[in-house]
Amino acid sequence: MAAAASLSLSLRLRPPLPPPGRPPRYAPFLFPSPSPTLHRLGVASCRPSPSWRPDLRARAGGTIQAPTLARPGGSVETDRLPSDVRDRAMEAVDHFGGRVTIGDVASRAGLQVAQAERALQALAADTEGFLEVSEEGEVLYVFPKDYRAKLAGKSFRMRVEPALQKAKEIGAYLVRVSFGTALIASIVLVYTTIIAILSSSSDEDGRGRRRRSYGSTIIIPTDMFWYLDADYYRRRRVEKEDGMNFIESVFSFVFGDGDPNDGLEERRWKMIGQYISSNGGVVTAEELAPFLDVPPPSEESKAWKPWSTALTRIVHFDDESFILPVLLRFQGHPEVDEQGNILYRFPSLQRTASSKGGGSREYVGTKWSAMFSGIEKYLEEKPWKFSKANAAEKAMVAGLGGLNLFGVIILGNLLKQMTVTPGGLISFAAQLYPLLQIYAGSFFAIPLFRWLLLRKTNNDIRRRNKAREQRAQELLSPDSSLRRKLLSARDMAQRKVITSEDIVYTTEKDLLDQDYEVKEWERRFKELESE
């Protein structure tokens, strides 16, 4: 009797088995072992495959309470995530209003499906987020409106990250202005030393006067630190984008201003994920080509189209290998329609908690483009700029760099002609002379190398942009074969919006508080007992 009572309690705390003929769904949470005092769900760190589907009458709307998670030592799960994954997942949660599926976050943030699931589990564990389950077994994550504040209150890492980022920006800025300051200091040191050497052949009085003159000259570099005043950094942030002060323009002239396509891969995957999701999770390779690095469409590939269906499949398989990274990231798989076209389905991106981006795709080509003009048609890379400094700033920097180089050459000749051991300033400049040579030489060698490299880099960027644009143009004016393929993908699209009416289970309530189908439970229990 005790064993039977224990089994009965266990079954009452577990959902029923799936009905025959229905494949099991995956749900990223686990039931704890039965206990008289524990009735809540806990988000698991991995994704098991339970062989059941919730079959409940309860409909849960609104906000639900979070599952209780076992965290040894009270660790913050979100701190184990990479910062960019966490931030991108939180941006996606905010975009969808705090109620999301894994596919919503993966498509919006451009994350791998596994990364999105892990991020949602960690956020739910740390911010009192909760789970909802639909009739089809789809899992939704629901977060309170103040989940960011709750997370910041628990995560020391999130509290210190803004300060570290600020320190990083200030450090980068100091490096830029230090290089410009070095140019002024080099010019002052070089020409002051030249004057000292030339004056060493004069009489003692003249040499003393020049030394006193030098004494008044060496204080000039201190005037160059005006940019370190307390308000300068604040003023710099509001300067126009195409302008900068002279000190910064020196660094910009020599080393440039960084990669203009920083974050390109993140932007690429966001565009791909959002495109797939907005088209019902079924797309063709031609639709994703404008976002990837693929060669332009060639006449040779078009010549294969009139051939047999079997041969067309082989050619498409070879030509569409560029789609493999997309399949891996968003867990997609190829399917063949009735006409023999290869389409790609992404089940995780077909289920959403938001109606944003929805709508029928009755048209393809130009009409479809007009309906959704806000969607970017292809990924466009920005060309590299030699420097963001304007022409006047670059001319001034080049002029001062030339003046410094000329002075270093003259100083080298004078140091070679000296017959006595120098002392004081001249000795100091002689010891620094190798560094002065390197600085003066690299001041023009590095920009020259960059200019040659940027020419090739920008040519490659223009070539990739043109190829993507041509691929996008094909979609605007598709031929009959491509049009049929696109229409077939639209017919196979199945975008499912999960509303509150579809929810049959929620972790807002304890398991024993929800309205289970008691008769079904008892019937299944009796069947198990009879076995």
Side-chain angles (χ1 to χ4, degrees):
M1 291 298 293
S6 175
L7 179 58
S8 176
L9 177 60
S10 176
L11 289 176
R12 288 179 182 274
L13 293 177
R14 296 180 57 192
L17 297 173
R22 180 178 294 237
R25 294 282 181 173
Y26 293 92
F29 55 83
L30 294 173
F31 276 102
S33 59
S35 170
T37 59
L38 181 60
H39 305 299
R40 292 188 179 273
L41 292 178
V43 179
S45 59
C46 58
R47 187 174 186 175
S49 303
S51 58
W52 56 269
R53 179 181 66 85
D55 188 12
L56 312 175
R57 293 178 179 175
R59 295 295 185 268
T63 305
I64 55 178
Q65 297 182 12
T68 301
L69 297 177
R71 295 192 298 273
S75 61
V76 180
E77 294 294 322
T78 315
D79 286 348
R80 301 179 183 180
L81 300 173
S83 297
D84 64 319
V85 173
R86 179 201 64 208
D87 294 340
R88 289 158 64 181
M90 293 173 69
E91 290 175 2
V93 170
D94 293 340
H95 174 79
F96 289 105
R99 185 173 181 269
V100 296
T101 64
I102 296 174
D104 287 334
V105 175
S107 61
R108 181 69 189 180
L111 296 172
Q112 298 179 17
V113 173
Q115 286 180 323
E117 180 179 7
R118 177 70 185 94
L120 286 174
Q121 290 176 352
L123 288 172
D126 294 334
T127 63
E128 299 182 5
F130 308 99
L131 306 179
E132 293 179 347
V133 184
S134 71
E135 293 178 346
E136 300 296 326
E138 308 299 344
V139 178
L140 286 77
Y141 291 78
V142 183
F143 297 89
K145 293 182 179 180
D146 59 344
Y147 81 98
R148 282 183 175 268
K150 292 182 178 180
L151 182 59
K154 292 182 178 180
S155 174
F156 175 77
R157 175 182 169 187
M158 286 193 65
R159 291 196 298 270
V160 301
E161 276 182 354
L164 293 177
Q165 181 63 27
K166 184 75 171 181
K168 182 179 178 181
E169 293 177 358
I170 294 177
Y173 170 68
L174 291 178
V175 170
R176 294 176 66 89
V177 298
S178 297
F179 192 85
T181 304
L183 174 62
I184 304 301
S186 176
I187 292 175
V188 172
L189 177 61
V190 166
Y191 282 94
T192 302
T193 306
I194 291 175
I195 293 174
I197 293 175
L198 294 178
S199 65
S200 63
S201 59
S202 304
D203 57 3
E204 188 67 21
D205 294 339
R207 190 162 53 249
R209 286 193 296 270
R210 285 178 173 80
R211 284 177 181 172
R212 288 191 295 272
S213 175
Y214 162 72
S216 63
T217 304
I218 60 174
I219 66 173
I220 294 179
T222 62
D223 297 334
M224 298 306 300
F225 289 91
W226 55 270
Y227 56 85
L228 291 180
D229 66 90
D231 295 331
Y232 176 75
Y233 187 76
R234 178 183 57 81
R235 294 199 305 267
R236 171 179 168 270
R237 297 179 65 90
V238 299
E239 289 179 353
K240 59 182 181 179
E241 184 178 355
D242 58 345
M244 59 183 66
N245 63 66
F246 170 75
I247 297 296
E248 290 182 288
S249 65
V250 175
F251 186 94
S252 176
F253 176 84
V254 178
F255 296 104
D257 302 285
D259 187 358
N261 297 302
D262 186 33
L264 179 69
E265 289 305 307
E266 176 182 342
R267 185 160 63 96
R268 183 202 303 274
W269 291 117
K270 284 182 178 181
M271 295 171 67
I272 292 175
Q274 293 171 25
Y275 185 90
I276 295 173
S277 178
S278 65
N279 283 276
V282 180
V283 295
T284 66
E286 289 84 355
E287 291 180 277
L288 299 184
F291 308 110
L292 300 169
D293 297 333
V294 295
S298 60
E299 296 298 329
E300 290 78 5
S301 63
K302 294 181 181 180
W304 290 98
K305 291 185 178 179
W307 288 52
S308 66
T309 302
L311 182 57
T312 303
R313 293 182 187 178
I314 297 176
V315 174
H316 280 186
F317 179 80
D318 292 338
D319 292 343
E320 296 179 1
S321 59
F322 61 85
I323 208 72
L324 292 177
V326 184
L327 298 178
L328 292 174
R329 174 169 286 262
F330 297 117
Q331 296 183 1
H333 59 266
E335 294 185 1
V336 180
D337 64 6
E338 296 179 353
Q339 292 78 31
N341 297 311
I342 300 178
L343 308 176
Y344 299 94
R345 183 185 295 276
F346 299 84
S348 297
L349 306 189
Q350 290 183 306
R351 302 179 290 275
T352 178
S354 172
S355 59
K356 292 183 179 180
S360 62
R361 299 292 191 266
E362 300 178 0
Y363 302 102
V364 296
T366 305
K367 291 184 178 180
W368 180 90
S369 175
M371 291 171 59
F372 302 95
S373 57
I375 301 178
E376 294 185 68
K377 304 302 185 300
Y378 65 96
L379 177 67
E380 185 175 7
E381 296 180 61
K382 298 178 182 178
W384 286 67
K385 290 184 178 181
F386 178 79
S387 173
K388 290 183 179 179
N390 56 42
E393 290 169 341
K394 286 186 285 189
M396 182 178 296
V397 170
L400 289 178
L403 180 64
N404 182 56
L405 179 61
F406 176 76
V408 169
I409 295 174
I410 297 300
L411 178 60
N413 292 331
L414 293 177
L415 290 176
K416 291 179 181 178
Q417 296 173 6
M418 293 188 65
T419 57
V420 296
T421 303
L425 174 66
I426 299 177
S427 176
F428 176 73
Q431 293 175 357
L432 290 181
Y433 185 72
L435 295 178
L436 296 175
Q437 283 183 307
I438 294 174
Y439 182 87
S442 63
F443 197 89
F444 291 100
I446 294 176
L448 178 60
F449 175 77
R450 283 200 314 110
W451 181 74
L452 295 174
L453 181 63
L454 291 184
R455 291 186 62 184
K456 179 182 182 305
T457 301
N458 286 335
N459 286 336
D460 293 341
I461 289 176
R462 283 191 291 269
R463 176 178 53 80
R464 291 193 296 268
N465 284 340
K466 183 177 180 181
R468 297 191 196 102
E469 186 177 7
Q470 290 177 353
R471 294 280 186 173
Q473 191 63 36
E474 274 195 337
L475 298 176
L476 298 180
S477 303
D479 56 23
S480 58
S481 176
L482 179 57
R483 179 180 292 272
R484 287 193 299 269
K485 188 175 182 181
L486 295 174
L487 289 174
S488 178
R490 300 299 172 265
D491 292 338
M492 294 178 63
Q494 296 177 354
R495 189 171 187 268
K496 169 64 175 176
V497 179
I498 305 173
T499 64
S500 58
E501 288 76 15
D502 299 321
I503 301 302
V504 296
Y505 177 77
T506 173
T507 56
E508 178 184 15
K509 302 176 182 179
D510 291 339
L511 297 180
L512 297 181
D513 294 337
Q514 300 194 55
D515 184 20
Y516 287 80
E517 294 184 352
V518 180
K519 294 183 180 180
E520 179 67 14
W521 293 97
E522 295 295 341
R523 184 183 64 80
R524 293 179 181 273
F525 174 65
K526 291 179 181 179
E527 290 178 355
L528 289 175
E529 280 187 328
S530 63
E531 295 176 358

